[in-house]
Amino acid sequence: MSKSGALDLTTNLGGKIKKQEVQSAVQQYEKYHVCFGGDEETRKANYADMVNKYYDLATSFYEYGWGESFHFAHRWKGESLRESIKRHEHYLALQLGLKEGMKVLDVGCGIGGPLREIARFSSTSITGLNNNEYQISRGTELNRLLGLSDSCNFVKVACYKEIYRVLKPGQCFAAYEWCMTDNFDPNNQIHQRIKAEIELGNGLPDIRSTTQCLEALKLAGFEVLSEKDLAADSPVTWYLPLDTSQFSLTSFRLTSLGSFITRTMVKALEFVHLAPAGSQRVSSILEKAAEGLVEGGRMEIFTPMYFFLARKPVSNY
């Protein structure tokens, strides 16, 4: 799990958006969200535009600060963030029973960090599905650099019902979903603010509850074999890397000092026109998202690790 440097951050800011249009794209993206007067229906109606703007704007920051795998992980004491993320991906492969020669679909694959790790771990051939052109092109380039172009590739697609349709009878679908927990109170203004901040900073039209997630799986036709919030019993809290009150050399870029350095660097790069106008605003949106994630984690109203394993029944084919 490599991390990009400052040069990559500067070069890739804005993704496929023209550099002179980044600031306008940020403003349009913000207007979709509650924090800036938007609403859920508008976000859903303009889902493709909203999500593509978000990932074009945010992906280089993700890769710079977090690495190639854009997810959290159950973490043991004494285990580094990088180790926990790899183990999390291996756990998913083992739950699915992946074996050499199998063909696997990774839906919502980002730039392919988990896809590449699981392909190497399980000796499978994996296709990643993604609706963002920049992430596909970046993932394809990383595949080439790591010599995995033959076993890893990417295509675009529109969720559960489509996955159900393409799966062979008896085959399984597993995922880690971002969900609101049963502790979330939709009538609590603080809870609503935190949810809105997470949606804004992570390109989400809405965050479903764990109950809604299960219902959607069953409505699509899946048989749910197991489900669990893996964040609930993690010895090290999943949001620790985002907690600016903590310090870590291994996750330095995510610390308060690391964030300050990144913020200052982006400001300077934008000032000398090496980074497009609007880059600072993207950085600010992501910092606000981190605050919302930490608050949501502390209050146990949000989880980024709601795991489920589901199967397409043979009889329904």
Side-chain angles (χ1 to χ4, degrees):
M1 185 177 70
S2 64
K3 284 188 179 180
S4 65
L7 180 60
D8 290 313
L9 176 62
T10 305
T11 304
N12 298 325
L13 270 171
K16 293 291 184 180
I17 300 171
K18 294 179 180 178
K19 301 303 181 184
Q20 65 270 26
E21 297 176 1
V22 167
Q23 186 159 326
S24 173
V26 176
Q27 293 170 346
Q28 292 172 32
Y29 172 75
E30 288 175 332
K31 289 178 181 177
Y32 285 129
H33 290 273
V34 173
C35 306
F36 293 87
D39 57 66
E40 181 184 334
E41 291 308 312
T42 303
R43 291 196 297 278
K44 288 182 176 179
N46 297 275
Y47 177 78
D49 181 66
M50 182 197 74
V51 169
N52 274 289
K53 278 187 171 62
Y54 174 78
Y55 283 112
D56 276 338
L57 294 167
T59 295
S60 59
F61 281 98
Y62 272 30
E63 193 176 352
Y64 177 78
W66 202 261
E68 295 174 21
S69 295
F70 303 159
H71 63 82
F72 296 92
H74 177 284
R75 188 173 168 189
W76 297 108
K77 291 181 180 179
E79 186 177 39
S80 70
L81 175 62
R82 180 177 302 197
E83 290 168 341
S84 70
I85 284 177
K86 281 193 174 186
R87 181 173 56 79
H88 205 56
E89 292 161 356
H90 296 174
Y91 174 83
L92 186 61
L94 292 170
Q95 288 293 304
L96 283 167
L98 300 186
K99 298 176 182 177
E100 184 175 356
M102 283 184 170
K103 292 185 177 181
V104 182
L105 201 60
D106 181 358
V107 182
C109 59
I111 61 172
L115 177 156
R116 285 183 288 276
E117 182 62 35
I118 291 174
R120 287 179 291 204
F121 176 73
S122 60
S123 299
T124 53
S125 177
I126 306 182
T127 295
L129 294 182
N130 197 324
N131 61 1
N132 181 259
E133 185 181 350
Y134 170 66
Q135 288 198 336
I136 289 177
S137 63
R138 178 63 177 158
T140 300
E141 173 63 9
L142 291 171
N143 284 354
R144 184 188 67 78
L145 291 173
L146 292 170
L148 291 170
S149 297
D150 291 337
S151 59
C152 303
N153 63 84
F154 301 87
V155 295
K156 292 178 74 170
V157 82
C159 180
Y160 288 169
K161 286 186 178 179
E162 182 65 13
I163 294 168
Y164 182 89
R165 185 185 69 80
V166 301
L167 269 183
K168 292 181 179 179
Q171 297 304 304
C172 291
F173 166 43
Y176 301 120
E177 289 282 17
W178 285 33
C179 293
M180 306 312 295
T181 70
D182 291 340
N183 295 322
F184 174 75
D185 179 1
N187 298 313
N188 185 309
Q189 290 188 344
I190 295 175
H191 289 193
Q192 285 284 16
R193 173 185 59 77
I194 292 170
K195 179 174 180 283
E197 288 176 354
I198 296 173
E199 289 166 349
L200 167 68
N202 295 279
L204 301 170
D206 186 32
I207 306 175
R208 295 177 297 179
S209 68
T210 54
T211 300
Q212 289 172 318
C213 181
L214 275 183
E215 289 175 351
L217 280 168
K218 293 173 181 177
L219 284 173
F222 282 106
E223 174 190 2
V224 179
L225 302 179
S226 63
E227 52 87 20
K228 181 181 181 181
D229 179 6
L230 296 180
D233 62 355
S234 179
V236 177
T237 54
W238 62 266
Y239 54 84
L240 182 68
L242 299 178
D243 188 347
T244 55
S245 67
Q246 305 295 318
F247 184 82
S248 169
L249 287 175
T250 57
S251 303
F252 178 74
R253 291 177 182 175
L254 300 172
T255 64
S256 181
L257 179 57
S259 297
F260 172 77
I261 291 173
T262 299
R263 185 164 57 249
T264 304
M265 178 183 69
V266 171
K267 183 178 181 179
L269 292 170
E270 187 171 328
F271 179 76
V272 298
H273 305 293
L274 289 176
S279 299
Q280 290 183 73
R281 292 182 70 167
V282 178
S283 179
S284 177
I285 287 172
L286 295 176
E287 286 190 26
K288 178 57 68 174
E291 292 172 9
L293 288 166
V294 172
E295 276 196 272
R298 283 178 176 159
M299 298 179 73
E300 299 183 348
I301 62 172
F302 168 79
T303 176
M305 290 188 288
Y306 180 61
F307 170 80
F308 62 75
L309 177 64
R311 179 171 57 201
K312 180 175 180 175
V314 175
S315 59
N316 288 359
Y317 181 68

